[in-house]
Amino acid sequence: MTKGEIAKKNFESGLNCAQAVLLAFCEDYGMEKETALMISAPFGGGMGRLREICGTFSGINMVLGLAKGNGNKAELYKDVQSLAKQFTEDNGSIICRELLGLSIMGKDNPIPSPRNEQYYKKRPCSELCRYAADLLEEYLSTNKTA
């Protein structure tokens, strides 16, 4: 099973988008699942449903921190920018509200939407979880840590 398939399954089991991506990788870097879930919890919905940076992209960055966070900061930031560029080229944005086709700016209702069949039909989030984790898995395999 690819990291993308794991992340998609994580999201569809009820985790938020950031949790879904981070959880797909956390054990590879010695992070306990419960810790990963707690750290990534506020990043869903573009950070607490503010609809800003997509939670899947936040998850990518959390994993990058685990993989390369003790190295050269300039190289890490280069990785972030490279992944942001690719994510944007493939999906149109790294901004949650733009990915969801919402016109709102800033704070959204803080109560998460119920997870049901309609929820999954109208949102690209499951596929974005898959995409983000697969993108990162490929990126990390070709850009090994020092």
Side-chain angles (χ1 to χ4, degrees), residues 108-125:
D108 190 7
N109 181 344
I111 299 169
S113 301
R115 295 288 183 94
N116 55 36
E117 190 176 334
Q118 284 303 102
Y119 176 91
Y120 292 112
K121 278 185 182 178
K122 71 179 183 176
R123 284 192 158 71
C125 306

Side-chain angles (χ1 to χ4, degrees), residues 57 78-94 131 135:
F57 194 71
K78 180 181 169 188
D79 291 334
V80 171
Q81 291 179 12
S82 177
L83 286 161
K85 181 177 187 250
Q86 188 65 54
F87 192 104
T88 300
E89 285 175 4
D90 292 344
N91 298 290
S93 182
I94 62 169
Y131 167 84
L135 173 67

Side-chain angles (χ1 to χ4, degrees), residues 16 20 27-28 36-38 51 60 66 73 76 79 92 94 100 104 107-108 116 120 125 133-134 136-137 140:
N16 75 37
E27 289 182 331
D28 297 345
L37 290 172
M38 289 186 290
R51 305 300 186 200
I60 283 175
L66 291 170
K73 198 179 290 187
L76 179 63
D79 291 334
I94 62 169
L100 294 178
I104 62 164
K107 187 174 71 171
D108 190 7
N116 55 36
Y120 292 112
C125 306
D134 283 342
L136 182 58
E137 183 174 37
L140 289 173

